[in-house]
Amino acid sequence: MAQEKWNLNTTGPLTAEPGSPVGLVNPPLTPDARVAARPEDYGEQVVPPKPLWYLDQEGDPHSHGVTEPYKVLLFWRSNIGDMAADLDDSYYMGVRGLQGIGVAGHLVTVNGDGEIYQPGSESSATITQYWDNTDPENPVLTEIEPETEYTFTVAAHNQAGEYGPASDPLTVTTPAVGYEFKHLTLPPRPPNDVTYAAPLPVITSAAGGGIQLHWTKIANVTKYEIFDNTSQDTTEAMDPSRIGLNESDVKLGEVNQPGANATTVTYTTPNYTAPRRRFALKVRAVRTDDNGTAVSEFSTPLRGTIPASTVAPGTPGAPTLTTTPIVGGQVKLTITPPTIDSTHGAPEYYAVYDGTRKVAVVYTPLGTAPHVTLQYTAAQTYSFTVAAGNSVGVSAASTALTGTVPTPAAPGAPTGVGVTNVTTTGMTVNWTAPAGANPPVTSYKVYDGSTVKATITAPTVTANLTGYSPDTAYSIQVAAVNSAGEGSKSTPAVTGTTPAS
């Protein structure tokens, strides 16, 4: 028999019914005939059938073993195909591609009056909280608690919002807190209601102001850790050296679990000293027990900005040199902040000028005086002033810091050279470093006459000389060396003779 050709094209003109051998006697149906042949419920959405809980290998609904003190994991099959339902030993696990057909969402009920809605055809849920509808007009968001019995049902609905029948009830009991789970301490649940306990601080003094937080106390927790992140980068990479933390997360502090009668936890951050500073505060709970220490996930970050000042800043003090002398042309300035009070607002930034040329803008860091480093050339003069600014305005310029960048030179001669512990074969040489070396001294050469007997790395100022013979004359001098060269030798030379044997 010759191989039959099949027409499976349903979008082009038909010469035979789809799936039929070409050349059959029966002609294809016309479009009108196809419409007439449709069943009465053609195109109507099917109401999803009753969901069935996954079964474990003992035939029990699959939730035992996946309950935690503050969490229940549920698994079910929803509108699974006949092929999956009829498989032997399938435990209702289903077949890929056949589950959730026509399902637009699920409603999980908890203890009859509670519920949590899950959109989509996903057939599993992690329940940590639910809406308690005991009073339908005032639903209460309720947490899953340890050592508590819960009964769940689940029902699916289609795109039209039509619900099918609910599943059979599934009853589980959450375990106690602190039970041994693979010899690890079970992590607590995170605080989920961290919010402000007072209005954000307006900076009216150099001390600044802290942000007051509070949240509901979590049972069986040892302490809470509070972090800030000012990067505002939602894609910031995790810090590989600190599990669970991002690279810019900074720990502000921690607070111990309050007493038994307390229901809330309060915490005040370290003071913020700059207006309009962004923050992203988050809290995690820490539990320590006989099995070790575990931390919760973080609370949702509480993002905000310190309020802007209401007045312009005052005039800063004259900048000062952070380190003197200036080495290698690096001019390091310390900026003197202005007075902050009710009539002089807190600065958000400082503009540094050399004459009329702006050479730097420095933003105030938390709790420290700002610094700036500038690279200048030898013999270059400078006249630095600083102005403070915020969203209201800019202050007058400070008094100027003037000077000239020194030209690098070889260091001066060491002083106070002395010789001690003279033996038949050697001696100890000591000296004092030359003052004002610029660039700094990097090493010393110890001479006996014109011979270098030792090279010593600074800042050490002592050398042990060896290799002498008895009754040998010596004439000791020391020279300092820096990146500009070797300086002059110390004077006068320290002379003497090693003892005779």
Side-chain angles (χ1 to χ4, degrees):
M1 178 177 177
Q3 183 178 3
E4 295 178 324
K5 295 183 179 180
W6 295 76
N7 179 9
L8 301 180
N9 180 9
T10 60
T11 59
L14 292 174
T15 58
E17 284 297 303
S20 302
V22 175
L24 288 182
V25 176
N26 57 306
L29 294 177
T30 65
D32 291 339
R34 288 173 179 269
V35 172
R38 291 173 179 172
E40 292 183 2
D41 59 355
Y42 180 86
E44 295 183 6
Q45 295 198 43
V46 177
V47 176
K50 168 183 172 180
L52 298 174
W53 300 109
Y54 282 177
L55 304 181
D56 59 22
Q57 294 186 6
E58 284 72 40
D60 297 321
H62 186 59
S63 187
H64 304 293
V66 287
T67 54
E68 298 179 8
Y70 300 101
K71 182 188 301 183
V72 177
L73 283 69
L74 301 175
F75 304 89
W76 64 87
R77 73 179 181 98
S78 188
N79 199 17
I80 214 160
D82 292 340
M83 178 176 158
D86 293 341
L87 288 176
D88 292 335
D89 300 323
S90 69
Y91 307 118
Y92 297 162
M93 295 301 288
V95 171
R96 185 181 299 277
L98 294 180
Q99 178 157 251
I101 299 172
V103 174
H106 293 90
L107 183 68
V108 179
T109 62
V110 187
N111 293 342
D113 294 319
E115 63 182 34
I116 185 78
Y117 178 72
Q118 179 165 294
S121 60
E122 179 66 32
S123 57
S124 65
T126 300
I127 310 297
T128 58
Q129 55 187 355
Y130 60 93
W131 289 104
D132 185 342
N133 294 319
T134 303
D135 181 358
E137 295 184 359
N138 297 287
V140 177
L141 190 61
T142 304
E143 305 287 341
I144 295 293
E145 296 291 344
E147 298 184 272
T148 304
E149 183 178 275
Y150 294 95
T151 298
F152 298 94
T153 63
V154 59
H157 72 81
N158 58 21
Q159 294 288 350
E162 300 170 312
Y163 277 90
S167 68
D168 293 334
L170 170 64
T171 300
V172 300
T173 300
T174 52
V177 172
Y179 77 101
E180 188 172 320
F181 179 72
K182 294 184 180 179
H183 306 290
L184 296 176
T185 298
L186 193 70
R189 73 167 182 262
N192 61 7
D193 58 350
V194 178
T195 188
Y196 305 117
L200 292 175
V202 177
I203 310 303
T204 57
S205 72
I211 299 174
Q212 299 180 44
L213 305 174
H214 65 176
W215 58 89
T216 302
K217 172 183 172 182
I218 298 175
N220 301 293
V221 163
T222 307
K223 64 181 180 181
Y224 305 87
E225 295 178 335
I226 300 89
F227 288 77
D228 188 11
N229 186 314
T230 60
S231 71
Q232 302 294 303
D233 183 0
T234 56
T235 62
E236 184 184 30
M238 298 290 289
D239 185 343
S241 65
R242 302 184 300 164
I243 302 301
L245 296 173
N246 292 330
E247 291 178 343
S248 298
D249 286 342
V250 176
K251 184 177 179 180
L252 300 181
E254 56 186 45
V255 57
N256 291 329
Q257 179 80 316
N261 295 328
T263 58
T264 59
V265 186
T266 59
Y267 174 79
T268 300
T269 69
N271 286 352
Y272 291 81
T273 57
R276 296 205 303 171
R277 174 183 169 85
R278 297 182 298 179
F279 58 83
L281 299 170
K282 55 186 180 182
V283 181
R284 68 182 179 185
V286 181
R287 174 184 296 125
T288 301
D289 58 25
D290 293 340
N291 296 317
T293 298
V295 298
S296 73
E297 297 176 351
F298 277 109
S299 62
T300 302
L302 185 63
R303 301 183 185 274
T305 305
I306 299 298
S309 294
T310 58
V311 290
T315 303
T320 59
L321 291 175
T322 308
T323 57
T324 55
I326 296 171
V327 177
Q330 280 198 343
V331 183
K332 298 182 180 181
L333 298 176
T334 297
I335 296 172
T336 305
T339 299
I340 302 172
D341 53 31
S342 58
T343 58
H344 301 91
E348 297 176 24
Y349 65 90
Y350 298 96
V352 182
Y353 293 84
D354 184 357
T356 59
R357 181 172 62 96
K358 184 187 292 185
V359 293
V361 176
V362 184
Y363 292 90
T364 310
L366 178 63
T368 61
H371 300 263
V372 61
T373 299
L374 305 170
Q375 187 66 47
Y376 274 50
T377 59
Q380 183 176 354
T381 60
Y382 55 79
S383 179
F384 295 119
T385 57
V386 178
N390 61 21
S391 59
V392 178
V394 180
S395 73
S398 69
T399 303
L401 170 67
T402 60
T404 303
V405 177
T407 300
T415 59
V417 178
V419 174
T420 60
N421 303 324
V422 180
T423 67
T424 57
T425 59
M427 66 199 72
T428 299
V429 181
N430 300 281
W431 61 92
T432 300
N438 183 19
V441 173
T442 56
S443 63
Y444 297 93
K445 292 182 178 180
V446 182
Y447 288 86
D448 185 348
S450 60
T451 302
V452 176
K453 296 292 290 184
T455 299
I456 305 299
T457 302
T460 302
V461 288
T462 184
N464 293 313
L465 307 185
T466 60
Y468 284 84
S469 301
D471 197 24
T472 300
Y474 57 81
S475 178
I476 304 299
Q477 292 175 288
V478 181
V481 180
N482 64 12
S483 59
E486 180 178 333
S488 57
K489 297 177 183 178
S490 59
T491 56
V494 179
T495 60
T497 304
T498 58
S501 57

